[in-house]
């Protein structure tokens, strides 16, 4: 495994920062997850499907973001709890957290405090808006920081329409990829320099990177991109069209040379119409052309159009439901799903794979996510906190 021998202490909640921990665990790192005594609020929040026996319910969304991790329950808001956390951090390679800066300082877990505890630590913080600036203390979920404030929602909202519903945690998991990249780079720096590293990743900044093609020109001229409905796009070969079975099919062919091929494939003479021979002519008549193509695509199913478009060598894609994509043979072929091995506490189950392949490397879940605090004694014992001390800390409400 690529990250075998790397230890990560994770103090996170919800999905963004935990998803980075899941990737790092799948890559081979040992991830010790410190949770509050009440547990991560993400536990038990999502639909829990059954595996085989009706009693075998899987907290699938929580497991996806936390597979492979050990769980230690510590009240870090108590001074004695924060000291226990520091003992774990002292021998770790990475601290991954989504605690806002003022809370890190309150618990003595900020970079300045931990530099003396572990001078080679990678201190990685994921927040909604970053660790500096006027909104550094503002909490944010991906709906508000990633989709809303960054411009993502505005860029995909058609005129006179309300902003769309955000797919659950899409911005979180995207930002988790950014955090993974930053941690890997910082680990390399720490290895080369022997120095403490600070990593800062935010939902808002990651979102702007995902729409950089639209943000970059606006930085220069101050003009926001125009929001367009499907009847006012730049070309009829870059659009989505309805099919007879209620499904939609996407075409994305930006070059003018595709227009005649597209028309020939759908059985239309528009491709040889001299009044539609230039991109400008087609752009000027976009509403009419979209309606004309709609009338044709509504005569066949999405599968039928897909076969026709494949035969014509067009660039297209279906609009699939999540239930469709989990059975997509291409998704299966490239390993988009992976089996989480079972344990004494949890049955094995299939989940979403980390989107990374390294030939010859073992990448995948090491085990299911642990129940809240299930590994507290094992982990603390390994870090020199004996049974008598643990018992005293439990009596004081410090350990779960």
């Amino acid at each position: 495994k690529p990250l075998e021998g790397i230890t990560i202490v994770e103090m996170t909640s919800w999905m963004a920062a935990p998803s980075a921990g899941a990737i790092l665990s799948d890559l081979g790192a040992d991830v010790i997850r410190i949770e509050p005594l009440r547990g991560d609020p993400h536990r038990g929040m999502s639909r829990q499907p059954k595996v085989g026996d009706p009693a075998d319910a899987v907290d699938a969304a929580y497991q996806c973001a936390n597979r492979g991790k050990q769980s230690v329950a510590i009240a870090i808001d108590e001074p004695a709890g924060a000291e226990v956390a520091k003992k774990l951090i002292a021998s770790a390679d990475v601290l991954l957290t989504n605690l806002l800066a003022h809370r890190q300082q309150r618990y003595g877990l900020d970079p300045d405090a931990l530099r003396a505890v572990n001078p080679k630590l990678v201190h990685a913080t994921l927040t909604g808006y970053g660790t500096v600036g006027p909104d550094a203390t503002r909490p944010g979920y991906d709906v508000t920081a990633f989709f809303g404030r960054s411009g993502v929602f505005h860029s995909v909202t058609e005129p006179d329409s309300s902003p769309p519903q955000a797919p659950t945690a899409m911005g979180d998991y995207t930002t988790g990829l950014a955090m993974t990249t930053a941690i890997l780079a910082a680990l390399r720096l720490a290895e080369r320099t022997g120095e403490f590293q600070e990593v800062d990743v935010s939902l808002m900044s990651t979102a702007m990177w995902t729409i950089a093609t639209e943000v970059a020109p606006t930085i220069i001229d101050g003009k926001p991109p125009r929001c367009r409905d499907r009847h006012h796009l730049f070309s009829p070969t870059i659009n989505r069209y309805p099919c007879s079975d209620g499904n939609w099919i996407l075409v994305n062919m930006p070059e003018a040379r595709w227009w005649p091929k597209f028309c020939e494939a759908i059985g239309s003479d528009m491709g040889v119409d001299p009044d539609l021979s230039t991109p400008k002519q087609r752009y000027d008549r976009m509403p009419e052309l979209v309606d004309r193509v709609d009338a044709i695509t509504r005569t066949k199913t999405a599968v039928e159009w897909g076969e026709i478009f494949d035969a014509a060598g067009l660039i297209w894609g279906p609009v699939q439901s999540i239930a469709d994509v989990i059975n997509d043979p291409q998704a299966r072929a490239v390993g988009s799903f992976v089996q989480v091995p079972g344990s004494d506490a949890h049955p094995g189950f299939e989940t979403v794979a980390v989107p990374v392949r390294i030939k010859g490397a073992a990448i995948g879940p090491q085990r299911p996510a642990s129940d809240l605090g299930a590994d507290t004694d094992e982990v603390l014992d390994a870090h020199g906190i004996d049974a008598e001390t643990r018992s005293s800390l439990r009596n004081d409400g410090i350990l779960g």
Side-chain angles (χ1 to χ4, degrees):
K1 285 181 176 289
L3 297 185
E4 200 166 323
I6 296 294
T7 299
I8 297 168
V9 172
E10 180 184 314
M11 285 189 287
T12 66
S13 59
W14 295 107
M15 284 83 95
S19 71
I23 296 171
L24 296 165
S25 174
D26 273 20
L27 291 172
D30 293 321
V31 182
I32 300 168
R33 189 158 198 255
I34 297 177
E35 296 187 66
L37 303 192
R38 65 183 180 280
D40 182 345
H42 186 204
R43 286 183 180 271
M45 284 288 289
S46 303
R47 176 169 62 91
Q48 298 190 23
K50 305 291 193 287
V51 177
D53 189 317
D56 291 337
V58 175
D59 194 352
Y62 179 84
Q63 283 282 349
C64 188
N66 293 287
R67 75 276 194 107
K69 304 175 187 177
Q70 294 179 293
S71 174
V72 177
I74 305 174
I76 63 166
D77 53 345
E78 296 289 341
E83 288 303 312
V84 173
K86 288 178 184 177
K87 287 183 182 294
L88 305 186
I89 294 167
S91 59
D93 299 286
V94 180
L95 170 65
L96 170 61
T97 185
N98 63 350
L99 289 173
L100 295 172
H102 65 279
R103 294 185 65 203
Q104 292 183 21
Q105 291 167 359
R106 185 188 313 161
Y107 307 144
L109 299 171
D110 57 289
D112 288 342
L114 292 181
R115 195 172 265 104
V117 173
N118 185 343
K120 296 182 180 180
L121 181 71
V122 172
H123 189 291
T125 301
L126 190 155
T127 60
Y129 302 101
T131 58
V132 297
D135 290 326
T137 60
R138 181 190 291 271
Y141 288 106
D142 70 336
V143 173
T144 54
F146 186 97
F147 289 106
R149 191 163 180 180
S150 68
V152 169
F153 265 173
H154 186 269
S155 71
V156 299
T157 301
E158 294 188 355
D160 303 318
S161 299
S162 64
Q165 177 67 33
T168 303
M170 188 175 99
D172 288 334
Y173 274 79
T174 305
T175 307
L177 285 167
M179 174 56 87
T180 301
T181 302
I183 287 174
L184 294 176
L187 280 169
R188 177 68 173 130
L189 271 177
E191 177 187 282
R192 288 167 58 197
T193 66
E195 296 175 355
F196 192 96
Q197 303 295 323
E198 292 184 50
V199 171
D200 175 9
V201 172
S202 72
L203 292 163
M204 184 177 177
S205 291
T206 304
M208 287 187 282
W209 175 252
T210 68
I211 54 170
T213 300
E214 295 190 345
V215 174
T218 303
I219 294 172
I220 295 171
D221 63 16
K223 298 177 181 178
R226 178 180 169 188
C227 298
R228 301 170 182 269
D229 62 42
R230 58 185 292 268
H231 282 82
H232 296 89
L233 298 177
F234 294 104
S235 168
T237 58
I238 306 174
N239 216 315
R240 56 266 190 200
Y241 293 105
C243 304
S244 64
D245 54 358
N247 292 315
W248 288 73
I249 202 159
L250 307 170
V251 293
N252 196 73
M253 295 168 284
E255 297 163 329
R257 65 185 178 88
W258 289 103
W259 172 245
K261 294 182 179 182
F262 177 61
C263 291
E264 182 180 359
I266 64 175
S268 170
D269 61 3
M270 291 186 288
V272 295
D273 186 338
D275 293 333
L276 297 172
S277 61
T278 69
K280 186 177 188 310
Q281 287 174 317
R282 295 193 290 274
Y283 175 75
D284 289 342
R285 295 171 62 180
M286 268 294 291
E288 171 199 343
L289 296 184
V290 171
D291 287 341
R292 290 172 68 176
V293 176
D294 279 358
I296 297 171
T297 58
R298 284 195 175 101
T299 64
K300 299 182 187 298
T301 67
V303 170
E304 290 171 329
W305 280 121
E307 293 172 349
I308 291 169
F309 290 173
D310 274 343
L314 302 186
I315 302 171
W316 69 279
V319 178
Q320 295 196 132
S321 70
I322 293 174
D324 292 331
V325 78
I326 62 172
N327 295 306
D328 188 312
Q330 184 60 27
R332 291 282 166 186
V334 298
S336 297
F337 312 103
V338 67
Q339 188 72 20
V340 177
S343 68
D344 292 340
H346 297 283
F349 57 93
E350 192 174 44
T351 192
V352 184
V354 167
V356 174
R357 307 289 174 268
I358 302 175
K359 190 171 183 179
I363 298 174
Q366 302 182 46
R367 55 184 173 272
S370 293
D371 291 332
L372 174 61
D375 308 296
T376 302
D377 285 312
E378 177 187 345
V379 170
L380 296 191
D381 187 65
H383 285 78
I385 301 176
D386 60 33
E388 183 178 351
T389 303
R390 297 197 301 271
S391 177
S392 176
L393 289 169
R394 278 201 174 87
N395 291 336
D396 293 339
I398 303 300
L399 300 183

